[in-house]
């Protein structure tokens, strides 16, 4: 990197000498000029200056300037990549003393230099002293303010402009959409269209960004049409923005189609498609595109790794996550805080809390809210409520301001550790002390906390007290608490509300039917199941998966497609006989089907999590931790069974279900039978 301080020491003398030699150099003026332009454009001002030796007195240099405004402008441009505001000011003062402060050409270069060196105040001074700013002067300043987020100033200038061109509109629209004012940006976009101007790639990119921001699919599709008409569909920038817009609006295949139709790709376009897949829950696809990106020789950056590591976290594929960690280290971005935060979450979601902590502690001196929140959430996810609270208190003490995500992690931690009083206290402090209004997600966590501990009426009235309407998730949360505590009365009320909202969702039917089944009210069970059949609701199938030797194996109930299924079933049968000797009694109360006891037991034995655990035990050496993931919550029967399996096989078994982590060791689980 270029050393500015050397330049600062020598610049006064050598700059004048340089400017002087500029006017007196006569040896080979063309070569001289080319060298000069190259050095300036590369930002090698020091080298440019060192090429010239002082020859005569320096007073003449200022006069010589008037003859060379172009060369002078190149010098001003050269200040930008160096961000050398000091040199820029020096040049500015020479302009003033040279009596050139009204030269519009040079003033525009001064404006450009000051705005791009982030000195907007100086830029404004230059602008105000200009006799007659032209459209370009306005554009430079508007762009400077827009980029910095000073949108009021930029819009004021825009309104004052006597004549606006495409660049003026682009500056305003991009400023607005970049700073989250998507609707305003799109408003200016449509005004621009009405004024008859034809958009270019920058206008289209910004307008598409606006559409992504507010998920305006219809408008986005119209702009897609414009793009094709104007011949920009192969443009890398416009193509990436289009693809991004479709992904943000959840139209994945169209986003992929646009991406694939692009003739070339760069890191940004690849990041768009990878992040788009990851954020839409298509973690497998995200990793596929990552492989494609590497195969095409593009170097992934920190943005890529954040998406890739989060995808590994979602899939809970530890092996792939570790590989991504190594690759991020090789790429030199593993210490970037965004990458660190995703590593903390990834290791936590893959069941390796110790690795999460290691990733956190190596950079914990950084005052980064996201990083600390990730670690708090990691503790919560593993049921370490007190550790989460300790870290939260430490965070606040050290002056790192918690945000809404931090509180979500903290409430989750309290909820999953049964820390009711602390949870309620932090819920109060969230708005009173930290000025953050709880959102629906925060209320959901609190309902979970109260519900799990059996305070169902309190949870119900908390929902009623919310300043907004409940959503299906919060009602389902309360409903599953009703199931745990067998409260048919609250359950009925909640289920009715829920079925009004989502008549085709199986979850409320299953939950109500389970509540009835647990209290052996078979008539009610039959009634609910009939209602479920009548509305053609299907229960979401439980799927469990396990990674063995870098390969992921999926299991679901009754699936016989696995090549080893006979062996797995035989192995499982033997295990169940053994755990029965240790007191396991199949809990058939939650089985939905009309069948005999034996059949019920059989269907329990074939639950996906049991199959995956059995497969893991068969295919890994003693001492190796079994890590199983499940898309739904672990059922009570499997929970009991796996506890005993961990005891008799002397293996550590980690199960991540839809709700949390369970570490089974020596016959007990870290969740304390509470999930
Ligand atoms: Zn089960
Ligand atoms: Zn558990």
């Amino acid at each position: 990197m270029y050393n500015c301080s050397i330049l600062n020491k020598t610049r006064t003398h050598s700059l004048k000498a340089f400017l002087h030699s500029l006017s007196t150099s006569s040896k080979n003026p063309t070569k001289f000029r080319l060298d000069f332009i190259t050095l300036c454009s590369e930002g090698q001002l020091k080298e440019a200056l060192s090429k010239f030796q002082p020859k005569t007195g320096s007073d003449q240099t200022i006069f010589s300037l008037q003859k060379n405004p172009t060369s002078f402008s190149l010098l001003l441009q050269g200040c930008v990549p160096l961000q050398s505001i000091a040199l820029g000011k020096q040049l500015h003062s020479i302009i003033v003393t040279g009596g050139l402060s009204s030269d519009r050409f040079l003033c525009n270069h001064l404006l450009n230099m000051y705005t791009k060196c982030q000195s907007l105040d100086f830029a404004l001074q230059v602008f105000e002293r200009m006799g007659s700013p032209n459209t370009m002067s306005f554009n430079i300043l508007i762009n400077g303010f827009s980029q910095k987020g000073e949108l009021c100033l930029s819009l004021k200038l825009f309104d004052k402009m006597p004549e606006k061109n495409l660049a003026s509109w682009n500056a305003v629209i991009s400023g607005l959409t970049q700073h989250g004012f998507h609707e305003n940006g799109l408003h200016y976009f449509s005004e621009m269209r009405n004024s008859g101007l034809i958009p270019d790639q920058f206008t289209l990119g910004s307008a598409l960004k606006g559409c992504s921001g507010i998920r305006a699919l219809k408008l986005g599709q119209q702009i897609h049409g414009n793009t094709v008409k104007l011949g920009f569909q192969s443009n890398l920038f416009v193509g990436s923005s289009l693809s991004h817009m479709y992904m943000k609006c959840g139209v994945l295949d169209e986003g992929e189609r646009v991406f694939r139709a692009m003739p070339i790709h760069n890191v940004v376009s690849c990041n768009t498609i990878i992040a788009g897949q990851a954020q839409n829950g298509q973690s497998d696809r995200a990793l596929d595109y990552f492989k494609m990106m590497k195969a095409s020789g593009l170097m992934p950056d920190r943005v890529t790794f954040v998406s890739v590591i989060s995808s590994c976290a979602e899939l809970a594929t530890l092996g792939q996550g570790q590989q991504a960690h190594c690759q991020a280290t090789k790429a030199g971005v593993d210490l970037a805080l965004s990458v660190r935060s995703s590593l903390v979450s990834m290791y936590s979601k893959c069941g390796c809390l110790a690795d999460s902590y290691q990733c956190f502690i190596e950079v914990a001196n950084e005052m980064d809210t996201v990083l600390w929140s990730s670690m708090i959430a990691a503790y919560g996810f593993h049921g370490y409520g007190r550790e989460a609270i300790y870290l939260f208190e430490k965070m606040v003490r050290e002056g790192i301001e918690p945000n809404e995500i931090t509180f979500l992690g903290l409430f989750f931690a309290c909820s999953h550790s049964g820390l009711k009083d602390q949870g309620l206290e932090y819920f109060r402090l969230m708005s009173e002390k930290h000025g953050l209004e709880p959102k629906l997600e925060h209320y959901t966590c609190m309902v979970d906390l109260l519900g799990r501990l059996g305070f169902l009426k309190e949870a119900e009235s908390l929902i009623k007290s919310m300043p907004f309407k409940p959503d299906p998730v919060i009602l389902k949360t309360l409903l599953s608490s009703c199931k745990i505590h067998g409260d048919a009365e609250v359950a009925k009320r909640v289920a009715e509300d829920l079925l009004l909202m989502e008549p085709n969702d199986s979850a409320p039917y299953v939950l109500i039917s389970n509540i009835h089944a647990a209290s052996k009210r078979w008539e009610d069970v039959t009634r609910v199941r009939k209602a479920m059949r009548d509305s053609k609701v299907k229960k979401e199938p439980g799927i469990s998966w396990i990674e063995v030797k870098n390969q992921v194996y999926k299991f679901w109930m009754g699936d016989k497609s696995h090549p080893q299924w006979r062996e797995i079933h035989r192995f499982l049968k033997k295990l169940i006989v053994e755990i029965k000797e240790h007191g396991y009694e199949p809990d058939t109360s939650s089985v939905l089907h009309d069948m005999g006891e034996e059949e019920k037991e059989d269907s329990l034995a074939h639950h996906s999590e049991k199959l995956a655990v059995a497969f893991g035990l068969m295919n890994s050496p003693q001492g190796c931790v079994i890590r199983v993931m499940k898309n739904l919550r672990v059922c009570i029967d499997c929970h009991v069974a796996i506890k005993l399996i961990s005891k008799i096989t002397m293996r550590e078994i980690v199960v991540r279900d839809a709700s949390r982590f369970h570490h089974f060791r020596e016959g007990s689980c870290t969740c304390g039978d509470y999930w």
Side-chain angles (χ1 to χ4, degrees):
M1 203 46 216
Y2 182 74
N3 187 340
C4 288
S5 60
I6 296 172
L7 177 65
N8 288 347
K9 271 183 213 149
T10 57
R11 67 167 193 260
T12 317
H13 182 63
S14 47
L15 182 63
K16 287 189 176 175
F18 157 62
L19 293 169
H20 171 72
S21 58
L22 207 61
S23 58
T24 54
S25 168
S26 56
K27 272 183 195 163
N28 183 351
T30 320
K31 183 175 183 311
F32 167 82
R33 209 172 149 65
L34 278 176
D35 284 352
F36 172 66
I37 292 174
T38 315
L39 288 170
C40 283
S41 68
E42 286 173 352
Q44 314 248 14
L45 292 199
K46 187 189 153 217
E47 283 75 3
L49 293 169
S50 70
K51 277 177 75 90
F52 304 98
Q53 296 301 319
K55 281 176 188 165
T56 53
S58 57
D59 282 350
Q60 246 186 319
T61 52
I62 291 169
F63 297 113
S64 67
L65 257 178
Q66 282 170 305
K67 295 176 203 154
N68 285 291
T70 320
S71 311
F72 198 67
S73 71
L74 288 171
L75 268 177
L76 280 171
Q77 279 176 33
C79 295
V80 173
L82 303 175
Q83 291 288 293
S84 175
I85 191 74
L87 180 58
K89 279 186 190 164
Q90 177 90 10
L91 293 164
H92 188 179
S93 72
I94 298 175
I95 289 181
V96 175
T97 47
L100 287 164
S101 48
S102 59
D103 183 309
R104 198 157 63 192
F105 173 76
L106 282 182
C107 280
N108 281 350
H109 274 285
L110 275 173
L111 279 178
N112 183 56
M113 182 274 297
Y114 278 130
T115 53
K116 291 203 174 140
C117 289
Q118 320 299 327
S119 292
L120 292 174
D121 290 346
F122 286 111
L124 206 55
Q125 278 176 27
V126 173
F127 183 79
E128 277 163 358
R129 286 180 193 152
M130 275 174 88
S132 50
N134 62 3
T135 306
M136 187 185 251
S137 327
F138 272 99
N139 285 353
I140 295 169
L141 209 53
I142 291 174
N143 207 23
F145 282 119
S146 287
Q147 295 300 317
K148 228 180 166 187
E150 306 254 15
L151 298 167
C152 282
L153 273 170
S154 115
L155 289 176
K156 244 187 212 163
L157 280 166
F158 184 76
D159 287 340
K160 264 208 259 174
M161 279 184 90
E163 229 176 287
K164 303 172 173 74
N165 64 12
L166 184 60
S168 332
W169 289 95
N170 280 355
V172 163
I173 298 170
S174 122
L176 286 166
T177 54
Q178 262 179 43
H179 290 92
F181 297 93
H182 303 295
E183 276 172 57
N184 306 58
L186 290 171
H187 168 75
Y188 276 90
F189 175 68
S190 79
E191 270 200 19
M192 186 206 101
R193 296 290 280 141
N194 292 339
S195 78
L197 279 169
I198 310 279
D200 68 0
Q201 54 164 323
F202 301 109
T203 336
L204 293 170
S206 300
L208 286 167
K209 195 175 170 56
C211 295
S212 308
I214 52 166
R215 315 275 193 277
L217 179 61
K218 263 231 163 89
L219 183 58
Q221 283 166 327
Q222 279 171 23
I223 298 175
H224 189 178
N226 286 333
T227 312
V228 177
K229 253 187 242 159
L230 295 167
F232 281 116
Q233 74 269 38
S234 312
N235 180 290
L236 198 52
F237 176 63
V238 178
S240 301
S241 310
L242 255 180
S243 171
H244 180 249
M245 182 276 294
Y246 280 117
M247 309 291 274
K248 274 275 164 182
C249 294
V251 190
L252 292 194
D253 26 336
E254 194 55 26
E256 282 188 71
R257 212 186 56 75
V258 172
F259 176 82
R260 286 175 182 274
M262 284 157 68
I264 49 162
H265 290 116
N266 62 4
V267 177
V268 175
S269 69
C270 289
N271 284 350
T272 302
I273 194 88
I274 294 171
Q277 299 287 353
Q279 285 158 13
N280 280 291
Q282 302 293 315
S283 308
D284 283 321
R285 304 282 297 141
L287 295 180
D288 287 346
Y289 276 108
F290 177 55
K291 270 182 210 142
M292 247 168 70
M293 176 186 184
K294 283 191 297 177
S296 69
L298 287 167
M299 275 299 283
D301 63 6
R302 64 184 68 184
V303 179
T304 327
F305 280 111
V306 168
S307 301
V308 168
I309 295 167
S310 315
S311 299
C312 296
E314 273 325 298
L315 295 169
T317 49
L318 182 61
Q320 282 175 316
Q322 284 166 329
Q323 274 178 26
H325 186 175
C326 283
Q327 288 163 0
T329 308
K330 268 190 213 151
V333 296
D334 66 312
L335 292 175
L337 291 179
S338 54
V339 176
R340 275 286 145 158
S341 304
S342 48
L343 282 171
V344 169
S345 305
M346 184 273 289
Y347 281 119
S348 152
K349 288 187 175 169
C350 290
C352 309
L353 190 60
D355 291 304
S356 288
Y357 187 70
Q358 190 60 34
C359 284
F360 167 73
I361 205 69
E362 282 168 9
V363 288
N365 53 344
E366 301 280 353
M367 311 268 281
D368 185 69
T369 303
V370 179
L371 177 75
W372 284 67
S373 306
S374 303
M375 193 62 222
I376 290 171
Y379 275 137
F381 205 52
H382 288 258
Y384 291 93
R386 289 181 200 287
E387 285 78 357
I389 289 176
Y390 172 78
L391 202 59
F392 176 79
E393 289 293 342
K394 194 170 176 205
M395 173 177 179
V396 173
R397 263 203 315 279
E398 298 198 357
I400 310 170
E401 199 48 49
N403 64 15
E404 288 159 353
I405 309 279
T406 323
F407 278 102
L408 216 49
L410 185 64
F411 295 158
F412 189 91
C414 292
S415 160
H416 283 256
S417 308
L419 302 170
K420 179 184 169 233
D421 294 342
Q422 291 93 327
L424 286 172
E425 177 66 2
Y426 285 120
F427 188 69
R428 191 176 64 78
L429 288 178
M430 180 178 175
S431 50
E432 284 182 16
K433 188 176 164 200
H434 299 279
L436 298 165
E437 280 314 309
K439 297 218 166 102
L440 192 53
E441 292 92 330
H442 300 102
Y443 279 98
T444 307
C445 265
M446 294 316 289
V447 166
D448 194 42
L449 168 62
L450 292 168
R452 278 163 192 281
L453 292 172
F455 298 94
L456 296 169
K457 297 242 161 52
E458 283 88 337
E460 205 184 4
S461 51
L462 183 66
I463 292 180
K464 290 213 173 91
S465 78
M466 297 193 310
F468 25 70
K469 276 192 174 154
D471 73 339
V473 176
I474 197 166
L475 294 182
K476 272 185 222 171
T477 306
L478 182 53
L479 201 53
S480 44
S481 296
C482 294
K483 185 193 158 193
I484 297 174
H485 297 284
D487 189 325
E489 186 200 329
V490 178
K492 236 176 154 176
R493 279 200 294 272
V494 179
E496 268 163 29
D497 290 345
L498 193 51
L499 287 175
L500 280 178
M501 274 187 227
E502 290 196 330
N504 291 322
D505 184 6
S506 64
Y509 291 104
V510 175
L511 280 168
I512 303 166
S513 135
N514 284 345
I515 291 165
H516 290 319
S519 45
K520 309 224 183 300
R521 305 215 303 244
W522 302 113
E523 267 173 43
D524 288 326
V525 174
T526 318
R527 194 175 45 77
V528 174
R529 282 210 318 272
K530 185 175 176 303
M532 185 170 165
R533 264 198 308 277
D534 290 349
S535 58
K536 298 203 174 51
V537 171
K538 267 194 170 169
K539 189 183 170 190
E540 186 187 359
I543 300 173
S544 298
W545 61 99
I546 181 169
E547 194 183 6
V548 173
K549 296 183 189 93
N550 276 329
Q551 174 121 22
V552 178
Y553 298 88
K554 287 187 182 171
F555 295 89
W556 50 94
M557 195 163 101
D559 172 46
K560 293 181 178 171
S561 63
H562 195 280
Q564 271 182 291
W565 77 269
R566 278 176 204 284
E567 288 98 312
I568 298 169
H569 282 234
R570 223 174 294 133
F571 184 82
L572 198 50
K573 224 173 190 171
K574 242 178 58 199
L575 265 182
I576 286 172
V577 173
E578 280 183 59
I579 57 175
K580 273 187 175 164
E581 287 167 13
H582 285 80
Y584 167 68
E585 270 179 54
D587 174 16
T588 50
S589 69
S590 60
V591 178
L592 264 183
H593 312 272
D594 291 310
M595 47 175 116
E597 267 317 288
E598 204 171 309
E599 268 178 297
K600 279 186 187 171
E601 275 190 30
D602 201 45
S603 93
L604 275 177
H606 294 162
H607 273 189
S608 65
E609 55 267 54
K610 289 199 191 83
L611 293 172
V613 167
F615 180 74
L617 287 169
M618 289 163 66
N619 288 285
S620 63
Q622 186 66 35
C624 179
V625 180
I626 308 284
R627 293 174 203 282
V628 169
M629 312 295 151
K630 193 187 175 192
N631 63 335
L632 309 176
R633 286 192 188 202
V634 175
C635 79
I636 297 172
D637 181 75
C638 286
H639 199 267
V640 175
I642 297 171
K643 278 201 289 191
L644 291 168
I645 291 172
S646 78
K647 187 176 175 184
I648 59 160
T649 59
M650 292 189 288
R651 293 285 282 264
E652 192 177 336
I653 301 170
V654 178
V655 177
R656 185 189 98 179
D657 69 3
S659 154
R660 60 167 290 147
F661 257 104
H662 303 264
H663 289 253
F664 297 93
R665 215 175 291 134
E666 292 163 11
S668 64
C669 178
T670 50
C671 74
D673 299 331
Y674 179 82
W675 71 99

